Structure formats: structure tokens, C-alpha cells
Amino acid sequence: MCGITGYIGNRPGVRTVIDMLRRLEYRGYDSAGVAVATHGGKNIEIVKAAGKLSVLEGELSDYWDKQGAAIGHTRWATHGGPTTPNAHPHYSSDGRIALIHNGIIENFQQLRAELQGEGYVFTSETDTETLVHLIEREYKRGEVMEQAIRDALARVTGAYSIVLVSAHEPDVLYAAKTASPLIVGLGENENFLASDIPAVLPYTRQVVVLEDGDFVRVTQASVTLTTLAGERAHRELFTVTWDEQTAEKGGFPHFMLKEIYEQPRAIADTLRGRITPEETVVLPELDGFTREQLAAFTRVQIVACGTAYHAGMVAKRFWEHLLRRPVEVSVASEFRYGDPLVGTDTLCLVVSQSGETADTLAALREARRHGAAIVSVVNVVGSSIARESDAVVYTQAGPEISVASTKAYVTQIVALNLLALHFAFVEGRQSADELTAYVRDLTALPDAVESVLGGALLVEELAERLASRTVFFYLGRGYDYAVSLEAALKLKEISYLHAEAYAAGEMKHGPLALVEPGVVVVCFSTEPRLFDKMLSNIKEVAARGGTVLAVVPENETRADASADEVLRIPVVRPEFSPVVSVVPLQLLAYLIARARGCEIDQPRNLAKSVTVE
Ligand code: F6R
């Protein structure tokens, strides 16, 4: 996720915003830039560079000690690769307005075409540049700066937080927010803007956290807060008592927990701009494929590792159900050394958070060598896997810092589901009503996950009761089996406990011999069609003294009599239940690992990006 900073006061502007950006570096980024009002505000100068802040700093010596309102940005690429032209800030065409932005402008293509039609020339591939030209246009139509920004924002759909500095009013920073975070830091005769609290902590602990729909005008001496519609607004002043490390994690003790709580937003961002008002799916990323080419893929091959492989396991079921084609899911390290049955009739879906996993990249190349078309689902823009794919559907999870993947997993499933629905709309095998019902149910997922997180207290109590156990099994059928694999992986990687997943029907073919008092068996039973079968498994485990933790839809009570513990999740379509049912088990794994004193964000022996075989 992008880092945003802004400063207005007597300190050197560029130096201050760079220092603030350094405090946001932990979030990850791939390019950076600053804009500063110079020569008494006559000019706005922008310096930006692909790569780390140190690269940018090398180009800033002329600005280092100068005063002037300044804004700074570290970019996590979304629209357009991590290049210098795509880095923020973006200029208006007359060079008098500079804008930084975090979020996604959904209708930027339409606005861009409109502005190009009026002669505006674009120098980047970003959605952000559209907005700065739009503001310039409104200003030139005779509006004062503040109104020009408001009018331009009224044309924009999507999610954003923005900060702007202009030569028209060099002593003012303007900022607005709809979805992405933005705060104002209040100092003595100086003020700050930032996407996150750690950026301002060395300067002030007095902070206003902006809400969606807020608009602020910030000068050295004042902060004027209104709504986007122009009405006065009031927000509480918040005195930050966290130390800097806690602040980086948004007040959470670990990145993993922060990322678990970010999941509703991550899912919403992954859906954003990809669902039309008519509840169909739009994926311009696939425009390079004709309808005939899509129809000609008679086979689908998914390759991935670890958690991404588990997302592929979920997707396999949905793709086969919806598109009636064989879908093979392979662990990338097995695929690359096998003798894969892929060819020009195969669509290869490559799933990876980092986009750099060595085995997954090698599997991609192997599939390509056999003539398969490559579509990847990746979180990091411009990564190796993204670059080598024919098309990329990015998950919009934002940087995932905890080694144990959480928000990447749920967004991978959502992106793979969107892809399947895109194919289904193109092929028209199902009625439009059937397909829009799927789309509607997808859009309900952020709320469902939010509601699970609202019940975290129950999971905490459960974790206290289970923290001393040492052997865990995870069982499920169908979609629930796929999610069992992921839930078991979460527990084992961060708590170092023995956790193993089985297709529930396999239990009596061997593993049941291991069940005895003290063993915890998590039984996912979210699919109504398979509930009775799962109930039999639950009873088998209970009869052998195992501790049953049943994960069931909230309207289901039939497991209550046999299970020792029951976790209820909101009712969602079974095809989408893994996105919801995994969440309490991510929390449980986290809480057990914490109770055991484990190093949660960086578990022993593991790395975030596995770039070796
Ligand atoms: C587990 C985890 C790993 C990754 C795997 C693939 O929590 O994060 O299993 O899923 O190493 O990584 P990516 O998705 O970056 O290819």
C-alpha cells in the first residue's frame, strides 16, 4: 500500500516528508517521489525515482535545506509498473499542481479518454494522473482551488486518499479521503499529513484520523475539516500513546493480526472496479484474449506453492463446477519436474503473492514451453511472474508483511473466482440471473468476514482452552477440505505444532488410529449438501475421545451435541465459504502461537519470498 506524507511549517519541507516516508518503509513500495513549493511558491518542483528512498534521496541535494510546503509518496504499483514516470507525485499539464494518491480510481479510463479528447497529454499509465488533470481543468474553468478539487473528486468513483500542493496556493495543502487511510498530525505552528500514524510520531502525538468522505485544508497555522460535500465536520483529536513499533502495526501487536483484520478491505479492493452496476464481471486484464481463444482452452492447469496452492485447490472446485472443464492443481515444485500434460489448449493459472517464488516461476516457464497461455494472479505489481504472464489479475491485498499469509489467500480466491465468472459470462453456459447471483454473493464477502472478526472474543476464549494441546487435525469435504489444508498450514507454521489436514472421508482409512483424548480435530462443515457426512466424521472422532471443534454456518445446530466446541460463521454460498471459514482459524492459529510465545511475524526457518528452489 502506498505511503503518503505532507508537511507545512518552518522545517525544510523535502527533508521532513522524506523522514516521514522512511517511517512508512516497512509497508513496502517500489518507487518514491516528492513535490515541493519553491521560490516563494512560484514553482512546484517534483523529483521522483523508481526503487528505494535512497535512490530518490541521491537526487534531492538541491532541495534538502529549503523551506516550502512539501508532499511525499512511496508507491506500491497498481496501475502501471514501478517506473519513474508512474511514480507519484503527478503534475498537472501546466506544472502548477502536484498530486499524490493512494487507492484506485475505477473510472479512470473513461476520464482519461475524455481528457485526452480535450488535448491533455498523459505521461504515465497511472489512474492518479487523470485526477490531477481533472483538477487543473476545473481550476481553468474559473473555480478557486478548493472548489476545483471538490468538483474533480465528484467525477471520480473508487477509493482514494489524496494530498495536493499547488503554485496557486503554495501555503496550503489539500487532502481528501474516501477509503484509504489518512491522518492529520497537529504541531506547534506546523502541520502534517500522512497515510499512517508512525510517519508523524517524531514530530507530534496529536492526531486526527480522517473518516471516509472527509476533506481538509491545511496551512501552517490551521486545519479546516469539511465533508466532500462542503459541510463542516468534527473529528476527535487523538493523543497517540503507542511506541513507534506498535504504531507501525496500526496498534496491533503483530503484522499478522493487522493483516487478518485488513481482510474485509483487501477483498473489497480486489473486487473494486471489476464488478459493474449490473452485477457482471469486467476484467480488462483479459482483453488480449478473444472470445474464441478463451473458449478454446479445454483444460486448466493451476500452479502455485503453499498458501497460494491452497487457494488454487479452492478455485479448482469452483472452476470445474462453473465451467465444466478439467482443472488440475499442481504444487509448482512437482509440476516443474514432472511430465505435465499441458499444451496449446491449456490455460495455466499461476498464483503467487510475491510473484517471485522460484518454483512457481519455473513452473510458469515450463507451462509456457509446452505452449500454454499464462494468466497469473499476483499481489506484487511488476514482479517476475507478472512480467512473464500473458495477462495478470492483481489481487489488491496491499503489502503482506507477516510471513504467514492471510489476506493474500482470501484475495487470491476472490480473484480466481472473478476469473471463473468472467469466463462464464463470456461463454453464457449459465443464465445471466444465475451468474449475477454469484456476483452479488461475492460482494457480500467483506461484510461476512467483518462479522467473523466481530466475534474474535469467542475465538480468544477458545484459544485459551486449546493453547496447551499439541496435536491438531483438520477435516473437511469439498470446499471444506481445501480450506482445511490452509487452516492446518497456518497453525503449523507459526505455532510449530503438529497440524495435519485430511479429506474427512479419508479419516477411517488410516489417520483415525491417531485420534485419542487430547487430540484436537477441527471439522469444517459448512456445505449443507455434505453436512450429514461430516456429522458422521464428527461422531467418529468424538467416540474416540478426540476434542471436536466444529466450524458450521450460524444457522446450523446439528453438530452441537457431538462437538466439544462450535465456531459459527455467517451463512454464505458454499462455493465462497473458504474465504469466510478460514478467518476464525487464522485467528485461532495466531492466538495459540502467541500463547506459546512464538515469533509470529517471522517464524523460524521460513521466509516471506522463497526465491530459491
Ligand atoms: C504460508 C505462505 C507460503 C506462501 C508460499 C508461496 O503462509 O505464505 O506458503 O504461500 O511460499 O508464496 P507466493 O504466494 O509468494 O508465491
Side-chain angles (χ1 to χ4, degrees), residues 305-308 352-355 357 360 403-405 412 489-490 493 610:
C305 300
T307 288
S352 174
Q353 187 284 128
S354 62
T357 303
T360 311
V403 166
S405 184
Q412 281 160 353
L489 179 65
K490 285 292 88 79
E493 66 186 323
V610 187

Side-chain angles (χ1 to χ4, degrees), residues 4-87:
I4 282 185
T5 60
Y7 175 72
I8 190 156
N10 293 331
R11 298 172 199 264
V14 168
R15 189 193 297 212
T16 309
V17 291
I18 289 282
D19 178 62
M20 292 166 73
L21 286 177
R22 280 239 171 273
R23 296 165 198 285
L24 301 178
E25 265 194 308
Y26 66 92
R27 297 149 61 104
Y29 63 97
D30 39 46
S31 61
V34 293
V36 58
T38 56
H39 299 101
K42 285 202 206 71
N43 294 342
I44 298 296
E45 303 206 34
I46 291 183
V47 184
K48 48 193 192 173
K52 291 292 162 197
L53 277 175
S54 51
V55 181
L56 177 67
E57 276 183 70
E59 299 180 24
L60 288 175
S61 49
D62 289 352
Y63 302 91
W64 208 238
D65 293 317
K66 293 201 179 130
Q67 290 195 327
I71 59 178
H73 191 268
T74 41
R75 174 170 185 256
W76 165 268
T78 53
H79 290 88
T83 61
T84 301
N86 287 340

Side-chain angles (χ1 to χ4, degrees), residues 561-572:
S562 313
D564 300 275
E565 308 279 0
V566 180
L567 276 175
R568 297 186 198 284
I569 60 160
V571 178
V572 293

Side-chain angles (χ1 to χ4, degrees), residues 27-30 76-77 82 259 303-309 311 332 350-362 364 376-389 392-409 411-412 607-612:
R27 297 149 61 104
Y29 63 97
D30 39 46
W76 165 268
E259 287 160 7
V303 289
C305 300
T307 288
Y309 167 75
V350 181
V351 189
S352 174
Q353 187 284 128
S354 62
E356 301 295 348
T357 303
D359 281 322
T360 311
L361 185 58
L364 177 160
S376 60
V377 169
V378 171
N379 197 37
V380 179
V381 175
S383 54
S384 305
I385 288 173
R387 287 200 308 273
E388 293 195 26
S389 301
V392 190
V393 176
Y394 284 110
T395 47
Q396 299 290 355
E400 193 177 59
I401 294 169
S402 157
V403 166
S405 184
T406 51
K407 59 179 181 170
Y409 169 74
T411 54
Q412 281 160 353
K608 184 66 190 160
S609 182
V610 187
T611 51
V612 290

